[in-house]
Amino acid sequence: MRRIFWKVLSLMICMLAVACSDSDDETIVAPELHPEFTEAEMDEAYKQKAERKKEVDIAGWPAIVYDEELTMVDFESRNDKTPPASGEEFFSMLNYDSDYQFRKSAASRDDWAIPFKTHGQRGRMEVYNPLYKGVYVAGSCTLWYDKSGKMLRMEGSCQPVKDFNVTPALTPDKAKEKMAMYLGAKVDDLDSQINDECYIAFYPKGGHWRPRLCYSGRSMKRADVSHIVIDANTGSLIFVAYFHEWCGTPSVSH
């Protein structure tokens, strides 16, 4: 009789556990996050990249490159040359692949303080987002003009992409499922403001920074994580950023 009692009790416990797991109030326990790159590893990779700083010549203008990443072109340093008249003319100087394009951003402004002018001159700021085969490439470049319309400098991040497959193996919905799994959250808990489209970002590999096709997001239920990046093909966890790393204040609710 006692044996039958314990069998019945065990069966009831199993049935109760199944019922609880199917409920809408299911609590998802966040797994440990094991990204490919830790904060320390990324810091070291950035340090090594900075050590590879080069001063190069682009169409006769002095420029600065970090491991193929173009960060600055100075058009004020020479009086014997005429700077590019427009963004289109400037980008043609780079001789990037024909699949690489630049789209003007809404962040552009006609009246803006030029940051590298000590006398506070104001001018035009044009911000461009790089695209490869229509897919956004992490980074942007800003072209600065004085009041007369003369181009003064390019600043930002332009990095060439060649022979790169931009078709992800994961759909946006599958990517969200992966990110939710890593964060220990439900798909509905992901921040809806995060872009559903994949993009190209650069991460270190073999001593140099290589392009990766990525998805990114963040959880509204996990206050410590501000950004999560996964591989758009394998679904593997690439990088996790925390609020204290971004010097921000958590804006999510617990």
Side-chain angles (χ1 to χ4, degrees):
M1 189 68 159
R2 183 176 298 174
R3 184 179 302 171
I4 295 175
F5 169 77
W6 285 113
K7 285 184 177 180
V8 171
L9 180 60
S10 299
L11 179 61
M12 291 177 64
I13 292 174
C14 291
M15 292 176 65
L16 181 61
V18 171
C20 289
S21 65
D22 291 337
S23 70
D24 292 335
D25 297 328
E26 177 184 0
T27 300
I28 302 177
V29 180
E32 290 188 52
L33 297 174
H34 297 289
E36 291 182 32
F37 302 102
T38 64
E39 179 183 359
E41 289 170 337
M42 288 298 291
D43 287 344
E44 178 61 25
Y46 277 116
K47 179 182 177 181
Q48 293 179 7
K49 183 176 183 177
E51 292 172 351
R52 291 193 289 268
K53 174 183 175 181
K54 293 186 298 183
E55 294 184 4
V56 300
D57 179 285
I58 294 182
W61 299 100
I64 294 177
V65 171
Y66 293 89
D67 196 17
E68 296 189 72
E69 179 187 1
L70 177 63
T71 61
M72 191 277 288
V73 182
D74 183 7
F75 298 110
E76 290 189 285
S77 60
R78 296 189 59 175
N79 297 321
D80 59 333
K81 286 178 63 68
T82 302
S86 64
E88 291 74 13
E89 186 175 336
F90 166 74
F91 295 123
S92 67
M93 291 168 36
L94 302 182
N95 295 320
Y96 283 177
D97 189 288
S98 59
D99 289 322
Y100 204 105
Q101 299 175 329
F102 292 86
R103 180 181 298 164
K104 192 172 181 179
S105 167
S108 302
R109 297 289 184 271
D110 288 334
D111 185 31
W112 203 255
I114 300 174
F116 49 89
K117 285 287 186 180
T118 57
H119 55 282
Q121 178 181 343
R122 301 184 74 85
R124 189 167 82 251
M125 174 185 73
E126 290 182 351
V127 181
Y128 290 84
N129 295 323
L131 300 156
Y132 179 76
K133 296 182 179 178
V135 176
Y136 172 64
V137 182
S140 65
C141 69
T142 301
L143 297 176
W144 296 95
Y145 301 79
D146 64 16
K147 288 184 177 180
S148 69
K150 178 183 178 181
M151 191 179 297
L152 301 172
R153 185 179 293 200
M154 169 269 167
E155 290 184 329
S157 173
C158 296
Q159 196 153 350
V161 180
K162 296 180 180 178
D163 302 322
F164 188 75
N165 183 10
V166 298
T167 303
L170 296 180
T171 64
D173 288 341
K174 288 294 183 182
K176 290 178 182 178
E177 291 176 8
K178 284 283 187 180
M179 287 187 283
M181 178 194 71
Y182 287 126
L183 292 167
K186 298 179 181 179
V187 172
D188 291 342
D189 293 334
L190 295 178
D191 190 341
S192 60
Q193 295 182 3
I194 297 296
N195 199 328
D196 287 341
E197 297 179 356
C198 62
Y199 63 98
I200 300 170
F202 288 81
Y203 287 93
K205 182 178 181 180
H208 295 279
W209 291 65
R210 309 297 185 191
R212 299 278 295 271
L213 197 61
C214 307
Y215 283 103
S216 65
R218 64 184 176 190
S219 172
M220 300 298 290
K221 296 294 184 179
R222 183 155 183 179
D224 59 327
V225 175
S226 59
H227 194 64
I228 179 172
V229 183
I230 68 170
D231 191 291
N233 292 311
T234 66
S236 62
L237 180 57
I238 298 177
F239 186 68
V240 178
Y242 297 89
F243 274 104
H244 66 89
E245 295 172 13
W246 282 23
C247 301
T249 302
S251 59
V252 295
S253 58
H254 295 275

